[in-house]
Amino acid sequence: MYLYILVSLVLALIFAFSCHTAIRRHPGIFYGIAFFLVLSEVIYYQFGIHDIAPQWFTAYIVNPFKRGAFSTALFIIVMYLGALDSKHLFVRKLMGIRGQLSILACILTLGHNIIYGKKHFVNLFTNPWAMKPQTMLAAVLSILMICIMLPLMMTSFPSVRRKMSAGSWKRLQRLAYLFFALTYIHVMVLFIPNWEKKIPDIIAYTVIFGTYLILRVAKATKKSSHALGYTGCNPTS
């Protein structure tokens, strides 16, 4: 079983660390490359290139992008950066490009949405009764996720963020937690009906997102405890 998410996560980490400085200094170049990849994969399927291309190329090069595995891997890195202790060197290093990685993940996700959406989104609005229940639910979740993702992406650009108050920006960015949760639910909706074939994938996603949840709750609890402790020692309180 080829676990796209695990392979994509390894490649995403290699990409983030090896291109860290370049991403920080020239993010626009990487955004342009991401848009080019989205356009390329859409053309690849729209014009039937996948029918004549080598099977290995489609399976191991194109599919991680088509299936949304690589973009999800970037989102996972963004997730964990917010859940891990910033004292760690590797966390501090990638924190400097967390916003850029998030934008790249959003752009690459659009390719996944376009390729699958041209069939499933159209059916959802024109012929929903012909869809399988899990496919319909997955399509609805995808639309909801896009509605959350686009504002998060736009407000991750420094030029947009500077125009917002700190409070408004933080409140909007909290929607990322809902987006992460919906991502896991979306995957499970698609995998569980074929659970016998998807057990490795289900385990992988559950471990990744479950571990994140534990780490994020632990960090929030620790932060809350420190805040309460500080308040308790304040002689003016």
Side-chain angles (χ1 to χ4, degrees):
M1 173 64 70
Y2 186 78
L3 294 179
Y4 284 103
I5 189 59
L6 295 185
V7 174
S8 296
L9 187 54
V10 171
L11 294 176
L13 285 169
I14 293 173
F15 164 72
F17 278 108
S18 62
C19 298
H20 167 267
T21 302
I23 294 172
R24 181 169 51 83
R25 293 179 179 176
H26 309 289
I29 294 176
F30 288 89
Y31 302 154
I33 293 173
F35 275 116
F36 174 76
L37 289 174
V38 169
L39 179 61
S40 297
E41 64 180 296
V42 170
I43 291 174
Y44 187 80
Y45 285 97
Q46 182 65 34
F47 293 95
I49 299 175
H50 67 289
D51 292 328
I52 59 176
Q55 187 176 0
W56 65 265
F57 183 81
T58 299
Y60 300 113
I61 305 298
V62 182
N63 271 0
F65 294 95
K66 174 196 174 186
R67 293 170 179 259
F70 189 78
S71 57
T72 300
L74 290 176
F75 278 127
I76 289 170
I77 294 174
V78 172
M79 284 165 47
Y80 272 80
L81 287 175
L84 294 173
D85 193 333
S86 58
K87 293 180 181 179
H88 298 302
L89 179 61
F90 72 93
V91 175
R92 290 203 306 271
K93 183 174 183 179
L94 293 187
M95 263 297 189
I97 58 169
R98 191 185 185 204
Q100 292 92 325
L101 292 177
S102 177
I103 293 171
L104 287 171
C106 291
I107 295 172
L108 292 174
T109 298
L110 294 176
H112 169 75
N113 293 142
I114 293 170
I115 291 172
Y116 286 98
K118 68 179 183 179
K119 175 183 178 180
H120 299 308
F121 291 166
V122 172
N123 285 340
L124 180 64
F125 291 105
T126 61
N127 194 24
W129 48 86
M131 300 176 71
K132 294 180 180 178
Q134 65 267 27
T135 305
M136 180 187 297
L137 179 56
V140 171
L141 289 172
S142 293
I143 292 174
L144 179 58
M145 290 162 65
I146 292 171
C147 292
I148 296 172
M149 183 186 75
L150 291 179
L152 290 174
M153 180 179 74
M154 296 307 299
T155 54
S156 292
F157 286 97
S159 58
V160 177
R161 179 177 178 175
R162 285 193 293 267
K163 295 179 181 180
M164 301 177 64
S165 67
S168 297
W169 186 83
K170 287 182 179 179
R171 284 192 294 272
L172 179 62
Q173 289 298 311
R174 289 194 185 102
L175 288 174
Y177 298 122
L178 176 59
F179 179 83
F180 297 150
L182 290 175
T183 298
Y184 176 76
I185 295 171
H186 174 77
V187 171
M188 291 301 109
V189 166
L190 293 173
F191 284 173
I192 288 178
N194 299 312
W195 67 270
E196 292 181 345
K197 296 180 180 180
K198 295 295 185 179
I199 287 178
D201 297 272
I202 292 172
I203 292 174
Y205 275 94
T206 301
V207 169
I208 291 171
F209 280 81
T211 302
Y212 164 74
L213 178 61
I214 293 170
L215 290 173
R216 192 65 189 87
V217 171
K219 185 175 182 178
T221 303
K222 183 178 179 181
K223 184 177 179 180
S224 177
S225 298
H226 284 175
L228 290 173
Y230 177 79
T231 302
C233 295
N234 188 344
T236 63
S237 61

